[in-house]
Amino acid sequence: MSLLVRDVLSGRLVEVGQDGKVGLYVCGPTVYNHIHIGNARGPLFWDVVARYLRSQGYQVTFIQNITDIDDKIINRANEEGVSWEQIVRRYTYSFHERLKMLRVGFPDVEPRATQHIPEMISLIQELIEKGYAYSPDNGDVYYDVASYPRYGQLSKQRPDEMRETERGVTGYKKSPLDFTLWKASKPGEPSWESPWGPGRPGWHIECSAMVEKHLPDGADIHGGGTDLRFPHHENELAQSAGAHPDRTFVRAWAHHGMITLASGKMAKSLGNILDVKRAVELHGRNALRMWFLQGHYSQPIAYSEEILEEKKRSYERLQNLYARIAGSTSSSDLDGSLLVELRERFDAAMRDDFNTPEAIAALFEAARRAGQEISTHPNSMREFAGLKKAFEELLGGVLGFELSEDQMVYVPSIPGEERFGETTVMLDPGPEVKEKVDRREQARQQKDWTTADQLRDELRAEGWSIEDTPEGPVLIRR
Ligand SMILES: [Zn+2]
């Protein structure tokens, strides 16, 4: 089965990995602040893709860089009166900690911009030699956009319609569209020696140099947010295609959508509530993962507390369906056909531009049918061993969710009685549901079966089933 990715440049589905190898380059963070939840979408999604491809036997090289020199880093250091290296260390550590909180795996290589200065200098020299770049006498080097007729191909813009890409040093540029490849440093700023004097690289040349160094045959997939399409990726392409027209730089450009709020694109100024740490505390990492993966990567996804609550319920339902399968001794030949259908549908979805929402839908469907089977033949002997294993591989191993063979339950407390102990209370269904459970218990004790049944139906409609155990009621996410 072929592996297809929708390439932003051509607009077509492009086949990659025909030789069993996939080189993936993703633009990582500029480390000057804690990442917010929107910044986590790329690392989480591409980690899932890498896990999927490895599970299919592909040899994957996953590169995700860190931009460790930038005006933002220098400004932050100046504001705090610390060294720029301290800022880099602090926020690289913070980035890694936040990936761990979300259970996001690390790339195979995490190149740092400052470790690739010689490669960047030689790429800039090649661009100057080939007439794509110029160095005025201020120590900067600029890309000459007018020299590259295909400029604008990725972002589908015509150069004469573009806004200025970089403001500030326009005085030395031939055109306001020309962008900086090398920036002369001011006294006291971090700098590296170069043929144009001491300075530091521009952001765009960093990624061109790191892609070419770590994926010499070109990147099969180049990822990054839609906000990087222009100017960052447009400029990467102009640099690498200009310097090396005979090499493939990228086979498929794949951009993930932004996180939106009611009022537009998520910005860092929105503060703590959307910080990764805060989001994990508020919603749990599995709910966040469900939220990211139940939308197609190329589309924006909307954030609200209600949406995240819904995603949490969605995860709990799938987890409990898994626990039912894991705990079942149902005998049925459904296992075999269900398993084949599940794996086929899951693979077809993932190989068609990494359609994770469809892959998750396949798991829900298989779990739902297995659940029906378990309810119909509750006393038979064979287990859904194959299906259980498939869930562990696909839902746990590839999609990265945490799975437990125990159902997630809410155990209401009964005044004056010891129940299962605090540890079994895994879910908090919220005050309204708890109140209904309490009222139903009172009704049962008063033998008011009509009210008790009515409340049971209401809870059922809200996604909960109640099991009346000898120790009292237990609430299970349906
Ligand atoms: Zn980049």
Side-chain angles (χ1 to χ4, degrees):
M1 223 193 303
S2 52
L3 176 62
L4 301 172
V5 188
R6 171 96 38 209
D7 168 36
V8 171
L9 179 59
S10 65
R12 297 201 187 93
L13 284 171
V14 170
E15 184 171 358
V16 297
Q18 292 100 320
D19 57 354
K21 294 180 191 162
V22 177
L24 168 63
Y25 184 94
V26 178
C27 293
T30 300
V31 281
Y32 73 102
N33 206 343
H34 300 298
I35 61 162
H36 65 61
I37 194 66
N39 305 131
R41 188 178 191 185
L44 185 144
F45 172 73
W46 291 112
D47 173 48
V48 166
V49 168
R51 291 176 197 223
Y52 173 70
L53 295 176
R54 290 199 174 104
S55 78
Q56 296 288 297
Y58 287 95
Q59 195 184 316
V60 179
T61 310
F62 176 15
I63 317 284
Q64 184 170 264
N65 77 292
I66 285 197
T67 293
D68 61 349
I69 185 70
D70 189 89
D71 285 349
K72 291 182 190 129
I73 294 170
I74 297 168
N75 293 342
R76 181 92 197 215
N78 292 340
E79 279 163 30
E80 292 191 23
V82 298
S83 70
W84 66 276
E85 290 97 330
Q86 252 174 290
I87 296 294
V88 165
R89 268 198 302 276
R90 185 199 300 163
Y91 292 109
T92 302
Y93 176 79
S94 158
F95 173 58
H96 290 157
E97 286 305 297
R98 277 153 177 76
L99 293 188
K100 286 185 211 160
M101 283 174 205
L102 290 164
R103 289 184 93 222
V104 173
F106 287 20
D108 300 302
V109 188
E110 192 181 61
R112 315 284 166 107
T114 57
Q115 293 165 346
H116 297 75
I117 304 283
E119 288 87 348
M120 293 170 203
I121 289 174
S122 84
L123 192 54
I124 295 169
Q125 279 175 313
E126 278 184 88
L127 285 168
I128 293 175
E129 280 159 24
K130 290 181 178 165
Y132 290 106
Y134 58 97
S135 175
D137 59 8
N138 65 345
D140 288 354
V141 183
Y142 304 117
Y143 191 96
D144 185 359
V145 166
S147 70
Y148 184 69
R150 280 180 292 162
Y151 193 74
Q153 57 188 331
L154 185 64
S155 54
K156 318 283 185 251
Q157 308 178 79
R158 285 164 35 146
D160 54 9
E161 293 168 345
M162 286 176 189
R163 60 182 171 83
E164 291 180 21
T165 55
E166 286 180 34
R167 293 170 197 278
V169 280
T170 45
Y172 288 88
K173 290 181 183 176
K174 290 190 202 166
S175 152
L177 294 179
D178 294 353
F179 55 90
T180 307
L181 299 172
W182 187 263
K183 184 172 183 164
S185 51
K186 299 188 197 98
E189 284 184 349
S191 70
W192 287 262
E193 281 309 318
S194 82
W196 318 284
R200 61 179 188 271
W203 175 33
H204 316 303
I205 199 76
E206 296 175 2
C207 284
S208 277
M210 289 187 276
V211 171
E212 294 186 19
K213 163 104 186 259
H214 295 281
L215 299 170
D217 297 330
D220 292 296
I221 305 168
H222 190 320
T226 48
D227 56 339
L228 299 188
R229 189 173 298 167
F230 183 83
H232 185 52
H233 288 171
E234 188 75 62
N235 293 353
E236 276 187 42
L237 181 56
Q239 291 162 165
S240 288
H244 304 124
D246 49 339
R247 292 189 209 162
T248 301
F249 179 50
V250 171
R251 291 181 189 82
W253 292 89
H255 293 138
H256 65 260
M258 300 289 100
I259 307 303
T260 61
L261 291 169
S263 56
K265 187 185 144 181
M266 178 181 280
K268 286 222 165 85
S269 58
L270 289 166
N272 281 343
I273 187 126
L274 301 168
D275 175 76
V276 170
K277 201 172 165 191
R278 181 89 184 101
V280 170
E281 282 163 7
L282 265 179
H283 307 295
R285 53 194 180 183
N286 293 296
L288 289 163
R289 185 171 284 268
M290 188 61 86
W291 175 58
F292 281 129
L293 298 179
Q294 265 190 331
H296 191 269
Y297 78 85
S298 64
Q299 300 301 312
I301 44 172
Y303 174 92
S304 74
E305 294 212 1
E306 294 72 36
I307 291 169
L308 266 295
E309 260 318 294
E310 223 173 84
K311 296 301 171 189
K312 191 176 179 181
R313 284 199 291 276
S314 191
Y315 161 69
E316 287 164 1
R317 269 185 61 210
L318 203 48
Q319 147 60 33
N320 277 356
L321 285 163
Y322 162 76
R324 260 190 110 181
I325 292 167
S328 105
T329 51
S330 177
S331 130
S332 157
D333 57 4
L334 196 63
D335 189 350
S337 62
L338 245 187
L339 198 57
V340 171
E341 274 175 48
L342 167 62
R343 287 197 182 268
E344 276 177 6
R345 192 173 159 194
F346 189 95
D347 284 336
M350 290 301 281
R351 283 168 177 272
D352 181 15
D353 200 20
F354 310 121
N355 191 340
T356 54
E358 169 64 15
I360 292 172
L363 287 160
F364 266 113
E365 171 65 14
R368 194 185 59 76
R369 282 172 53 191
Q372 276 175 354
E373 192 61 20
I374 293 163
S375 309
T376 327
H377 307 285
N379 298 317
S380 38
M381 292 305 289
R382 219 187 76 206
E383 290 181 34
F384 278 102
L387 199 57
K388 175 173 181 272
K389 189 159 167 277
F391 262 70
E392 282 154 10
E393 283 171 16
L394 305 179
L395 187 61
V398 171
L399 299 178
F401 289 97
E402 287 169 294
L403 294 178
S404 162
E405 291 191 19
D406 297 320
Q407 297 218 0
M408 300 181 75
V409 296
Y410 166 63
V411 183
S413 62
I414 296 175
E417 275 185 53
E418 275 300 312
R419 298 205 61 198
F420 304 97
E422 287 293 311
T423 50
T424 53
V425 185
M426 297 170 73
L427 294 178
D428 180 2
E432 286 169 30
V433 169
K434 285 180 184 169
E435 189 264 338
K436 276 184 192 170
V437 175
D438 290 345
R439 271 203 286 141
R440 181 173 167 275
E441 265 315 282
Q442 283 170 16
R444 278 163 51 82
Q445 276 158 27
Q446 293 156 7
K447 305 207 187 308
D448 176 2
W449 307 118
T450 317
T451 306
D453 286 352
Q454 192 190 324
L455 286 162
R456 174 192 283 258
D457 291 345
E458 279 179 32
L459 287 163
R460 196 174 167 79
E462 286 162 20
W464 297 96
S465 57
I466 286 196
E467 273 180 23
D468 293 306
T469 71
E471 291 86 18
V474 172
L475 208 55
I476 301 168
R477 178 77 80 202
R478 292 177 55 227

